């Protein structure tokens, strides 16, 4: 038997180990390359390619990324700056062109006590002036004086002139107040404002036959002749027949008083164009900023927050504008408190619109964050996936399974999510007028649908082996 040379076995073992280590090293390098490719693909899906500032990225590529980042910032800023202007333009266009929207805006004013008081004062003043109560009382006193009564009686009769006027004025005021606080004013108010709205369009177009008018101070008035006629009939029925001999009495209520109306008259066509297209231009700029960005998910978060911030600025501008409006009221305005009520009611739908856009911006930013590639977003998605898997597994242990339907949802999860997102966007776009509650409801429904589809989705690999629900997915085979 040949004698074995010392150390030969040890050398063979070392050679084998070196070969195994080299093979393992090659496998590790291949795995690292695969992970890098997967990370790059994930970064691209999450909002753009890998960090352009990373080592090894060519200078030309870095320059292209810098240019795209700059373009994205410019587009998002422009879109955010145009958003408040677009909201105001849409609100103004609807107020001018949509009669139902206009009546919904000014209709509630009729129930406000300050507006009712202001209308009562105007109608009462119009009737008192038309009846010339001061003149009638003076004529009555003069006629009594001509009767040759004793001086003391004549002096007493003369002192009754002012109380007679006050008593008649109070009687008229009570009759007017009874009409104004009844359903009569609401009917007259709606009809008068419907006429005003139709005429407002004519005024803004410059139609010389328009009944409603905007004077040099920008005052838009509502005709109260219907209220006056009702009060005259009520006074006549009560025995105050003097009103039957009076000519036609005109009374009006200044609905809006601002130089902005004069400017709106001069820019009516521009308002119509801006109200139609400016909102789409703003959204288009925001979308373009996201599309050209390197990291789209991050820029979408910024775009959503920018939209919400722009709406906050618009809300602050409305609050400041309220004070400016009150300070700019001319001295002829007898009831500044009523003017403030009118301002608040007129901009009520504008406030609803800006709040809706604010909620929409926050929803977009939140969705973009969750779908992004940050570690927090990935951890959040991983937590939800684990929770959904745990619930699905627990259900399957108890015999509850979605079967082939769940497999289909798992295989088509990307198209299903795109369909849900597109449906939510379509629901927002097709809505005639957004409200914060509507935007939040659409967002909640979309989230619930996404959660349900995730729970229903059942990977094919989770099925039992052949003979149950079908063969394992991806060609997985049982080991023997």
């Amino acid at each position: 038997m040949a004698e074995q040379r010392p150390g030969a076995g040890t050398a063979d073992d070392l050679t084998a180990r070196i070969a195994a280590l080299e093979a393992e090293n090659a496998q590790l390098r291949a795995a690292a390359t695969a992970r890098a490719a997967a990370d790059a693909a994930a970064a691209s899906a999450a909002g753009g390619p890998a960090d352009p500032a990373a080592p090894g990225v060519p200078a030309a590529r870095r320059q292209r990324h810098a240019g795209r980042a700059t373009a994205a910032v410019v587009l998002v800023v422009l879109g955010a700056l145009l958003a408040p202007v677009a909201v105001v333009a849409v609100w103004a266009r609807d107020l001018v062109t949509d009669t139902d929207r206009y009546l919904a805006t000014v209709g509630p004013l009729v129930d406000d006590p300050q507006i009712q008081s202001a209308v009562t004062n105007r109608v009462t003043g119009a009737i008192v002036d038309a009846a010339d109560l001061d003149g009638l009382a003076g004529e009555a006193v003069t006629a009594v004086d001509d009767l040759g009564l004793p001086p003391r009686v004549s002096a007493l009769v003369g002192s009754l002139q002012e109380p007679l006027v006050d008593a008649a004025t109070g009687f008229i005021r009570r009759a007017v107040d009874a009409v104004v606080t009844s359903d009569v004013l609401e009917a007259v108010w709606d009809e008068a404002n419907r006429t005003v709205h139709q005429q407002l369009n004519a005024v803004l177009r410059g139609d010389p036959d328009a009944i409603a008018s905007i004077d040099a101070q920008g005052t838009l008035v509502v005709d109260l002749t219907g209220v006056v006629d009702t009060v005259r009939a009520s006074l006549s029925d009560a025995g105050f027949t003097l009103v039957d001999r009076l000519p036609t009495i005109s009374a009006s209520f200044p609905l809006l008083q601002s130089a902005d109306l004069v400017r709106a008259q001069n820019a009516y066509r521009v308002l119509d164009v801006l109200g139609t297209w400016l909102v789409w231009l703003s959204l288009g700029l925001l979308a373009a900023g996201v599309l050209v960005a390197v990291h789209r998910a991050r820029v979408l978060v910024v775009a959503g927050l920018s939209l919400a911030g722009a709406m906050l600025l618009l809300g602050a501008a409305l609050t400041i504008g309220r004070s400016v409006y009150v300070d700019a009221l001319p001295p002829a305005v007898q009831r500044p408190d009523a003017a403030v009520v009118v301002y608040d009611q007129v901009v009520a739908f504008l406030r609803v619109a800006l709040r809706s856009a604010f909620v929409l911006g926050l929803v977009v930013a939140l969705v973009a964050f969750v779908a992004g590639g940050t570690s927090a977003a990935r951890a959040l998605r991983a937590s939800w996936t684990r929770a959904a898997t745990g619930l699905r597994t627990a259900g399957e242990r108890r015999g509850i399974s979605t079967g082939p339907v769940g497999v289909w949802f798992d295989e088509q999860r990307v198209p299903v999510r795109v369909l849900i997102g597109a449906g939510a966007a379509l629901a927002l776009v097709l809505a005639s007028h957004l409200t914060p509650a509507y935007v939040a409801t659409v967002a909640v429904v979309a989230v619930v649908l996404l959660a349900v589809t995730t729970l229903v989705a059942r990977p094919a690999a989770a099925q039992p082996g052949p003979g149950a629900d079908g063969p394992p997915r991806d060609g997985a085979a049982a080991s023997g």
Side-chain angles (χ1 to χ4, degrees), residues 407-472:
V407 174
W408 183 89
F409 269 104
D410 181 65
E411 294 174 346
Q412 305 297 327
R413 56 185 178 276
V414 174
V416 168
R417 292 171 183 173
V418 171
L419 182 62
I420 293 174
L426 194 62
L428 295 174
V429 171
L430 295 182
S432 57
H433 297 97
L434 294 179
T435 63
Y438 181 82
V439 175
T441 300
V442 171
V444 170
V445 169
V447 170
V448 170
L449 289 177
L450 289 172
V452 169
T453 55
T454 303
L455 288 173
V456 170
R458 182 169 177 255
Q463 299 182 79
D469 292 336

Side-chain angles (χ1 to χ4, degrees), residues 87 91 101 311 314 318 344 346-359 433-439:
V87 171
W91 163 79
R101 190 70 166 179
M311 293 304 105
L314 178 57
L318 288 180
D344 290 338
V346 168
V347 302
F349 283 115
L350 178 56
R351 295 186 187 278
V352 171
L354 72 89
R355 290 167 185 162
S356 301
F358 174 79
V359 174
H433 297 97
L434 294 179
T435 63
Y438 181 82
V439 175

Side-chain angles (χ1 to χ4, degrees), residues 202-213:
V203 168
L204 293 178
R205 291 193 305 266
D207 187 350
D209 297 329
I211 299 174
S213 62

Side-chain angles (χ1 to χ4, degrees), residues 90-99 101-102 196-198 200-202 204-205 261 264 268 271-272:
V90 172
W91 163 79
R93 186 202 59 187
D94 289 345
L95 192 64
V96 171
T97 62
D98 189 342
T99 301
R101 190 70 166 179
Y102 175 82
V196 163
H197 184 265
Q198 296 171 352
L200 177 62
N201 281 275
L204 293 178
R205 291 193 305 266
L261 287 174
Y268 175 75
L271 175 66
D272 188 43

